[in-house]
């Protein structure tokens, strides 16, 4: 169940990032977008979210260090994004460095967000443990 939840979270992040970048592109280039293009973007973002959700399973491999997991995860995510971008014509091959740079920024922002969430949960759990211990005395 937790793995399925992780896939759905990845789908949400993928949808948000894809549509945000898509909207910025449309806004700054004054483009008109047809319904078929929006459906194509939706399907690509959906597939990307599922693929990244599967790549996230690397974090359940306890024998790997966190740095190794992060390197493998970033590589897997990069491959997924580059493939999705190629399928969706998100970039020209000559701009791959720019795409990877944007991807790195998004990757770092998402990780900072998750670190904040996890630390908040740790603080809450520690408070609950302290309160239980006080109640047991």
């Amino acid at each position: 169940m937790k793995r399925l939840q992780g896939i759905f979270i990845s789908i949400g992040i993928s949808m948000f990032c894809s549509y945000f970048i898509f909207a910025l592109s449309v806004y700054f280039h004054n483009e008109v977008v047809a319904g078929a293009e929006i459906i194509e973007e939706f399907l690509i973002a959906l597939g990307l979210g599922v693929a990244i959700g599967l790549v996230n399973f690397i974090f359940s491999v306890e024998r790997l260090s966190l740095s190794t997991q992060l390197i493998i995860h970033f590589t897997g995510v990069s491959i997924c994004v580059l493939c999705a971008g190629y399928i969706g014509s998100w970039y020209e091959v000559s701009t791959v460095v720019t795409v990877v740079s944007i991807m790195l920024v998004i990757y770092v922002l998402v990780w900072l967000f998750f670190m904040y969430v996890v630390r908040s949960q740790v603080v809450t759990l520690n408070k609950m443990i302290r309160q239980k211990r006080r109640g047991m005395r």
Side-chain angles (χ1 to χ4, degrees), residues 15 18-19 22 33 36-46 88-90:
M15 293 287 191
S18 295
Y19 276 96
F22 187 70
V33 180
E37 288 178 82
I38 294 172
I39 296 297
E40 180 184 348
E41 282 298 312
F42 172 81
L43 293 174
I44 291 170
L46 180 66
S89 302
W90 293 348

Side-chain angles (χ1 to χ4, degrees), residues 37-97:
E37 288 178 82
I38 294 172
I39 296 297
E40 180 184 348
E41 282 298 312
F42 172 81
L43 293 174
I44 291 170
L46 180 66
L48 181 60
V50 170
I52 291 173
L54 294 172
V55 172
N56 289 344
F57 291 155
I58 192 65
F59 293 110
S60 63
V61 180
E62 294 179 13
R63 68 180 183 273
L64 297 176
S65 68
L66 180 59
S67 57
T68 302
Q69 290 173 336
L70 283 172
I71 290 168
I72 293 170
H73 186 261
F74 181 74
T75 302
V77 168
S78 298
I79 291 168
C80 293
V81 170
L82 289 172
C83 289
Y86 180 76
I87 291 167
S89 302
W90 293 348
Y91 58 87
E92 296 174 18
V93 176
S94 63
T95 62
V96 169
V97 172

